[in-house]
Amino acid sequence: MTYRSLADVSESIRQRHVSPVDLVNECLEKIERLNPTLRAFITVTGDQARQGAERAEAEIAGGKWRGPLHGIPVGIKDFFDTAGIRTTAAFAAFENRVPTKDAEAVRRLREAGAIVIGKTNMHELGMGTTSVISHFGSVHNPWDPGYVAGGSSGGSGAAIAAGLCYAPRSIRTPSARAVCRRLAAV
Amino acid sequence: MTGFKATYGLVSTKGILEGEPVDEFIIRLGHAAFMCRSADDAAILLGMLGNPRASDSKFKADERTAIGSAQHPRLGVVTNFKATPEVRAAFLKTIDTFHTLGYATTDVEAPLEFPSLDLANIEEDRTTISQVLFKEIQAVLLPTTTDVTPTIEEAVRVADHRPTIGRGRDSGDRAQVSGSYELARPTPEGRLIGCSVCADRASRDGIWNLRFVA
């Protein structure tokens, strides 16, 4: 189910053929199984995501479908502040940095009913294109873990490709090195 | 996978490491973007994240990107990119795929050497590049990579060198004017390994119906 497109799963959720709770649990199970190898996520917010999914399910059952992101598990690049959830940019000095406010884009996603399942790994401070330099370990490519997953949003790419969540947010911050891009995206 | 990078300012970057010191370069060049599994998914996300309700968006409602236009854009294929033979071969196959899907393309030269990365001129440079590049076409196709994906080991070795602009191993590797890349299949095997579509900032008449057969 987690390889299906957002558009497709969203329609199933609206019609109540797919439960957001099941969807979140499936993603969390997959993260638990694959993240030790891929290191796509820095932080996984399992309990909060499960609670969010239960809430979404109840809302939708009560006829309050908020739109196509309602009940969809998303990953947020660890560049974007998340209230109460550490936001590190994969940088050692930010290991315990816990913002009090959500970034604007995160707030919008939550308002739309999306469920934040975790914070995705990245190249330290966005200053590279391979995501091998991260305080939390190099991101590995789900196609073949011997290879890099690109960057700086390598964790987001790996999470999407491996079906760990939908629609990771990512910021592309071309640093001084970004003129030297070498890797690929689709 | 589908990645989408919106025009500067369309998706809010407010709240990225809020309160931490930041380089002016990053503020001027940074984008908020997203990755998903299809063009349809990207349209859903842009609808939620890219509209002018964003408090820090400078875009007015009439400049909002419309979604769902099925119009075929005039596509330019960049001919003066630099890439390894593997990437070149994969890119040419991608262009063939566009042709089999019924798109016509025109060869173009992209001003790849133009960006000076001078903060003082950045807006002017963007305008000039846009005018030159999108004179006859609405979107350009170019490879997202110059080389196939490195191994972790190789990337760690390169990262230790910290190349500066225009120097070091990556010198001259600017395959693209803008756009970004995230994930590649490790070996091209003659398949699509990544293709960027960069659209003119002025072309707001739709997310075109570009669906890759990968």
Side-chain angles (χ1 to χ4, degrees), chain B residues 34-165:
Chain B
F34 42 83
M35 283 181 272
C36 46
R37 300 210 173 90
S38 69
D40 287 342
D41 288 4
I44 289 172
L45 287 161
L46 186 64
M48 293 295 167
L49 293 163
N51 77 37
R53 281 189 299 130
S55 53
D56 58 348
S57 170
K58 61 182 180 214
F59 290 90
K60 299 192 186 86
D62 60 354
E63 292 176 314
R64 182 183 344 185
T65 308
I67 291 173
S69 164
Q71 181 203 350
H72 277 197
R74 294 190 305 276
L75 296 177
V77 176
V78 173
T79 52
N80 59 324
F81 64 86
K82 290 173 182 170
T84 62
E86 295 100 313
V87 171
R88 189 169 289 275
F91 178 64
L92 293 177
K93 283 198 187 229
T94 306
I95 303 306
D96 283 346
T97 304
F98 273 106
H99 292 156
T100 59
L101 291 173
Y103 291 87
T105 62
T106 316
D107 286 351
V108 295
E109 294 243 324
L112 294 172
E113 304 307 322
F114 189 88
S116 57
L117 284 176
D118 179 352
L119 277 180
N121 302 327
I122 198 161
E123 288 303 326
E124 205 185 321
D125 286 355
R126 276 181 186 150
T127 306
T128 309
I129 290 169
S130 232
Q131 280 167 357
V132 171
L133 194 54
F134 297 107
K135 205 170 166 190
E136 308 289 340
I137 53 169
Q138 292 168 298
V140 291
L141 305 176
L142 65 173
T144 18
T145 71
T146 56
D147 200 352
V148 291
T149 309
T151 61
I152 299 268
E153 206 178 301
E154 189 191 0
V156 169
R157 214 162 45 228
V158 172
D160 286 342
H161 288 110
R162 304 231 168 218
T164 52
I165 297 171

Side-chain angles (χ1 to χ4, degrees), chain A residues 114-142:
Chain A
I115 294 161
V116 175
I117 204 161
K119 302 298 293 288
T120 53
N121 201 356
M122 55 184 284
H123 205 107
E124 180 191 87
L125 294 170
M127 299 291 279
T129 57
T130 57
S131 304
V132 292
I133 306 301
S134 162
H135 179 58
F136 301 90
S138 300
V139 180
H140 291 245
N141 192 319

Side-chain angles (χ1 to χ4, degrees), chain A residues 3-175:
Chain A
Y3 287 114
R4 288 169 60 184
S5 76
L6 194 166
D8 185 24
V9 169
S10 169
E11 183 56 19
S12 299
I13 289 175
R14 191 182 67 81
Q15 294 178 2
R16 298 175 61 193
H17 295 155
V18 165
S19 142
V21 174
D22 290 350
L23 193 58
V24 161
N25 281 330
E26 196 180 324
C27 288
L28 289 172
E29 183 274 321
K30 243 174 160 178
I31 291 169
E32 200 178 317
R33 192 155 41 87
L34 298 176
N35 204 48
T37 307
L38 300 179
R39 296 194 189 107
F41 283 89
I42 287 174
T43 304
V44 180
T45 51
D47 290 344
Q48 286 170 51
R50 281 194 194 90
Q51 285 164 19
E54 280 165 20
R55 232 174 7 250
E57 195 156 314
E59 280 176 11
I60 294 162
K64 286 180 188 151
W65 185 70
R66 293 198 221 173
L69 291 182
H70 205 172
I72 300 286
V74 298
I76 308 285
K77 186 176 181 179
D78 212 24
F79 235 153
F80 285 79
D81 284 351
T82 39
I85 303 165
R86 72 173 174 179
T87 300
T88 71
F91 184 44
F94 290 165
E95 189 171 5
N96 300 309
R97 182 183 173 278
V98 181
T100 54
K101 261 179 75 181
D102 278 337
E104 170 76 12
V106 173
R107 189 183 65 72
R108 297 267 294 271
L109 284 170
R110 288 195 204 272
E111 267 178 20
I115 294 161
V116 175
I117 204 161
K119 302 298 293 288
T120 53
N121 201 356
M122 55 184 284
H123 205 107
E124 180 191 87
L125 294 170
M127 299 291 279
T129 57
T130 57
S131 304
V132 292
I133 306 301
S134 162
H135 179 58
F136 301 90
S138 300
V139 180
H140 291 245
N141 192 319
W143 289 103
D144 181 334
Y147 288 80
V148 309
S152 64
S153 305
S156 300
I160 283 288
L164 306 182
C165 65
Y166 293 83
R169 294 274 310 148
S170 94
I171 181 176
R172 279 81 183 258
T173 47
S175 61

